[in-house]
Amino acid sequence: MPKSRTSPFTRRGLIAAGGALGLVAALTACGGSGSAKSEGDKDKGAAASGAWTFKDDLGKDVSLKAQPKNVVAYTGTAAALYDYGVQVKGVFGPTKTADGKPDVTAGSMDISKVEILGNVYDEFNVEKYASLQPELLVTNTWDGTYWYVPEASKDKILKLAPAAAVGVGGDASMDKALQRTADLAKALGADLNTKKTTDAKAAFEAAANKVREATKANPGIKVLVGSGTADLFYVSTPKTSADLKYFETLGVEFVVPEQDKLDQGGFFESLSWENAGKYKADLVLLDNRTGTAQPEDLKAKPTWTELPAVKAGQVAPRVTEPIYSYEKCTKVLEDLAKAIQGAKKVS
């Protein structure tokens, strides 16, 4: 899912012409991110010398003179760090809805306490970012790129502070993404031995067992992971997303789109609504992101209403971009277990 193709994102310029000189001055003052020295694969926080290093999931060793305090993050990554007690200074990505409420991607984070640099795909206020005097930028990575860092302004952004990415696609699975996010939180000062954190991890493991038990008790339930827009219905493959890959290890049986029909990144197959019934399933997990079509929106699509799972009322939300804290992923697993437990064979 390297592109947010399901939301009505705008692609606008980030900086007005009148602000260009100010941006150049900020870039010059902050300088480059410097070279990173590898100290092995073990992530370190503030060492006795004061140096700080973190090896991210792009294989890059991020090195700073001290533990960063001015951290800016993709909203979903920031929400996960927040659950560990790490507060970032600014965010970019879906943060608040049109009515001013927190977006689902913001989780439990108090969005009034962060500077929002961009609220939609390809929106990132570089001048405002520079004014925060960032020491570190953190985000997720699906395909080797920095998620929600606009390609057009990427070079300017990465000159202001080093970046670290947590893998949530490709070879990553949910358990690995959770561990790596926890590693990052620890490096940024979080205590992973608090009762809240250890209880959350135990609850996650218990929820994973609930999914295993559900798939054993109700075998053969075929699950289709979909996302809808006005014109297209996207069917995701479980092979390239961390959450779905992990669900497979728990026994969940997914509808797998044809390999040669997938998008260039290998994440999904695009179907016209006329062909939305191509794959039969007993349960549909539908993209819950802001801007995607929800069941109420899809009632006008005859091919949607004729899907066996839809006719049977077996549609559940899919948290397409999980917040990778144990606390948030526990609920994802618990909801999945309930959906599978309650599903009947209809395909």
Side-chain angles (χ1 to χ4, degrees):
M1 193 203 63
K3 292 185 178 179
S4 298
R5 72 279 184 276
T6 54
S7 297
F9 298 121
T10 59
R11 297 177 180 270
R12 65 190 71 174
L14 301 179
I15 301 174
L21 291 177
L23 172 63
V24 172
L27 291 172
T28 302
C30 293
S33 60
S35 60
K37 295 181 180 180
S38 173
E39 295 186 30
D41 291 347
K42 185 177 181 181
D43 303 320
K44 299 179 181 178
S49 64
W52 185 91
T53 63
F54 183 82
K55 189 178 184 71
D56 80 350
D57 290 342
L58 294 177
K60 296 182 179 179
D61 291 287
V62 181
S63 180
L64 297 169
K65 291 181 179 179
Q67 184 184 89
K69 301 300 181 185
N70 290 353
V71 179
V72 172
Y74 168 63
T75 303
T77 315
L81 294 174
Y82 182 86
D83 286 346
Y84 289 108
V86 177
Q87 178 71 52
V88 303
K89 200 165 186 179
V91 296
F92 55 96
T95 307
K96 63 180 179 180
T97 57
D99 58 4
K101 295 180 180 179
D103 188 272
V104 292
T105 310
S108 302
M109 187 168 50
D110 184 347
I111 63 173
S112 70
K113 294 184 178 180
V114 292
E115 192 74 51
I116 300 174
L117 305 176
N119 199 51
V120 296
Y121 195 70
D122 258 3
E123 181 181 81
F124 193 117
N125 190 320
V126 186
E127 282 188 302
K128 189 181 288 187
Y129 177 57
S131 74
L132 295 177
Q133 298 182 312
E135 297 171 279
L136 180 70
L137 181 146
V138 295
T139 185
N140 294 334
T141 182
W142 291 81
D143 58 356
T145 61
Y146 294 110
W147 186 231
Y148 264 76
V149 175
E151 186 63 29
S153 53
K154 178 184 68 175
D155 291 344
K156 294 175 182 177
I157 293 167
L158 297 181
K159 282 180 180 178
L160 289 166
V166 174
V168 298
D171 294 333
S173 62
M174 176 175 270
D175 52 346
K176 182 180 178 182
L178 280 164
Q179 183 58 58
R180 293 296 291 139
T181 304
D183 290 342
L184 177 59
K186 181 179 181 180
L188 293 173
D191 181 359
L192 301 187
N193 295 316
T194 64
K195 186 176 187 302
K196 176 186 175 183
T197 298
T198 56
D199 285 354
K201 188 171 184 179
F204 172 82
E205 292 167 352
N209 282 328
K210 289 180 182 179
V211 177
R212 290 190 188 96
E213 292 167 1
T215 58
K216 290 177 181 177
N218 196 8
I221 297 298
K222 297 291 288 184
V223 180
L224 183 149
V225 179
S227 184
T229 66
D231 301 318
L232 295 171
F233 184 55
Y234 299 91
V235 178
S236 294
T237 174
K239 306 301 181 184
T240 48
S241 295
D243 58 334
L244 304 184
K245 286 181 69 174
Y246 183 65
F247 299 163
E248 276 196 315
T249 70
L250 303 179
V252 179
E253 298 180 37
F254 287 104
V255 168
V256 181
E258 295 178 63
Q259 182 68 29
D260 61 352
K261 302 293 186 183
L262 298 178
D263 68 300
Q264 187 175 0
F267 288 88
F268 54 83
E269 178 181 355
S270 305
L271 300 174
S272 66
W273 279 109
E274 290 79 4
N275 296 312
K278 177 178 179 178
Y279 299 107
K280 305 302 180 187
D282 306 300
L283 172 65
V284 173
L285 299 182
L286 190 66
D287 191 341
N288 78 327
R289 287 178 296 172
T290 302
T292 63
Q294 299 306 304
E296 190 67 27
D297 305 318
L298 296 175
K299 285 183 177 180
K301 304 286 187 185
T303 49
W304 166 259
T305 57
E306 287 302 311
L307 291 177
V310 176
K311 291 176 72 173
Q314 296 177 176
V315 178
R318 182 215 174 180
V319 181
T320 304
E321 292 191 52
I323 294 168
Y324 282 102
S325 70
Y326 290 104
E327 177 185 330
K328 294 299 187 294
C329 287
T330 293
K331 178 167 173 48
V332 171
L333 290 178
E334 289 176 341
D335 290 346
L336 177 62
K338 289 177 183 177
I340 292 173
Q341 285 172 347
K344 297 178 180 179
K345 285 291 294 180
V346 292
S347 62

